Amino acid sequence: MANALQNVRLFVAILAARSAQLASRALRAGGGSTMPGVVSRRVDPTVLTKLSKRLPGGAAAITGTNGKTTTARMVSHILRTANVKAVNNSTGANLVTGVTAALVADSTISGNPRSEVALFEVDEASVPKVAAEAELKLLAVLNLFRDQLDRYGELAYLGKVIASSFGDLPSDGSVLLNADDPLVASLGREARKAVYFGVEDSSLDMGRLQHVADSKSCPVCGVDLKYGAVYMGHVGTYDCPNCDFTGPDTAYRATSVRFDGAKATSFALSAPDGEMEMKIQLPGLYNVYNALAAAAVASEMGVALEDIKRGLEGFGGAFGRVERIQAGEKEAFLLLIKNPVGFNEILRTFVAGETSGAKHVLIAINDNDADGRDVSWLWDVDFEMLAESEAPREPFTVSGIRAGDMAVRLKYADLPVGDVVPDRGKAIKAALEATPPGETLYVLPTYTAMLEIRRTLSDLGHTHPFWEDE
Amino acid sequence: MMNLYGDRGNVISIQKRCEWRGIPVEVVDVRLGESIHPTGCDIFLFGGGQDREQALLADDLSGSKGADLRSISAAGGVVLGVCGGYQLMGSHYETADGEKLPGVGIFDLHTEPRKPDEERLIGNVLVRIPLEDGSRGEIVGFENHGGRTRLDGAAPLGEVVSGFGNNGEDGTEGARKMNTYGTYLHGSLLPKNPWFTDRLIETAIKRTDDTFELEPLDDGVEKSAFESVSARVRRG
Ligand SMILES: [Zn+2]
């Protein structure tokens, strides 16, 4: 009887979610992907637990500051390649309500998931809530960088918050951690079963800690870590000179990383199941980390290495992160700027290189909530590396609500400041006009500036509004 | 110039504005566990950290390092403390966990943690600073702090035109004692407020050569950045 009542409640919860979904679509509330979660949770607070228990292959979650969207999409692509039916939450709906909404939308009216497995990207601070309810077989932590300061106050605290969820994983659950990020790696001490991934390639050493390094001190004892190699930010190989903390042994490893300009990157993957050459259609070391994490998640979920390779190599990139848009006889290459580490990677990959030929560049910095309201981080970006490079380049066009700050930053890196056009629409039009036919305009916007620039390009007939190709 | 756990934008700003005028600059980074003496430095930048680091810094400054900083300030040295650095220049600082950390004691002020029902103080700030000639200078920046700083006799750096400042209640921002300044403003602070940067540089050099005068620079780019932020802050 009690059980039947539970099922009725679940049924009503799913029904309520369906009508909420229809209503928000009718209102074109765009995205509208958390409302059904809110509604169904109100009717049945255990809806997430009930549904995730009925997933034949269980649920996995990915969290971290950088790359969780790209990594989650890579894993989805791998699962599709391997014919595993998976349910995902949509970008921007990465709190417990969004996760619930995804599972509710995937299940039949009687409360049975249509998918075999669930794969969620989860906001760092929401991990405990999701883990407490979703029976996670696997929780992957990619990295912890400082661009979350606005939201959470403190990085070490955030690590504690994430680790506090480990006890809620089922007995066969494990955590997958980035061994090269000291704070993330240190969380493994709190886990029943921890698996690590990392990069091993001394040719990637930046030679010095970038100025953005966040957790360069030992997460255990607080003394400055000694780095063997620094790959990006505070990520690299390290030892504590004071205590026994050191980078853990990795089960999944990327070696022999080779960058093929803006188009592709290759590396050798070694996993418990064997070794394999990977060639991904995305630039930059950060995408090597994303691909490595995706391979590890998929492998831990039981996908064969051959399918992982096919899935990763056929992956085209997530919306907005890296995107090419044909604009008449010209091309616009959009590269989303999220934080100083990502910005440095983009500068290193596209702008500083002498062969990549980023000759026409537009930078657009907004400071809305979704961009980060504090633009101090611009000073942590290593623009100085450009002053040393010999690549032929036009002065950067600068745009965004914080165009002024960006112009000052360039000036203090001894770089020529081009046009300062705060209005994003006007700036992209002018920059495209100034780009000769057959050439590429590199556009480096923060999140909301990217949406605005895309809208302008769309109005010019160069692409579709973003909700149509999601 | 000595940089103690400081803000990179401020370091670059002083460095470049000296270089552009042919004034040689050397930046000495002083990290945890490293001593300040012997310095030979003219300007001291003092940044801070997140709560956990603040505890390490407080510990680091509890001995001779803090005493050195205190005597540099008392002798009229040019010191700029920002955010966590500013908080540690007071008499004490209490973390969110209720841990009371001793400060360096340059300023007569202390910092309390925010109460559970209080928000972090986050946003753009515009501050008006009284100057010796009776006029006022303005600076803009960004603040992000949970702690509430109470002045126990220390003179404020300036008055808040828009934003929160020391505690969001009394309209004061920062503190000043001779050539030592403390403020919550980063953003970074110095790049968008070149007059204030130049004031630090000029004061520092004048201490050894009182005939020195700073050559003016073309600050068009900085001024328009200042204008756009201050207009935005004023709009609210
Ligand atoms: Zn240690």
Side-chain angles (χ1 to χ4, degrees), chain B residues 22-33:
Chain B
I23 305 167
V25 204
E26 197 188 327
V27 182
V28 183
D29 285 311
V30 176
R31 308 188 55 173
L32 223 52

Side-chain angles (χ1 to χ4, degrees), chain B residues 21-105:
Chain B
R21 291 164 163 130
I23 305 167
V25 204
E26 197 188 327
V27 182
V28 183
D29 285 311
V30 176
R31 308 188 55 173
L32 223 52
E34 292 173 355
S35 158
I36 292 184
H37 271 298
T39 78
C41 288
D42 302 298
I43 299 178
F44 298 81
L45 295 182
F46 183 16
Q50 308 170 29
D51 260 0
R52 207 180 68 96
E53 291 160 346
Q54 288 287 85
L56 292 170
L57 295 189
D59 184 52
D60 190 39
L61 291 161
S62 62
S64 65
K65 200 172 186 175
D68 289 343
L69 204 57
R70 213 159 33 237
S71 66
I72 287 163
S73 169
V78 176
V79 183
L80 173 65
V82 176
C83 206
Y86 165 47
Q87 291 172 332
L88 288 174
M89 284 157 87
S91 57
H92 67 268
Y93 164 82
E94 204 177 323
T95 68
D97 301 335
E99 193 185 348
K100 226 177 198 184
L101 306 173
V104 175

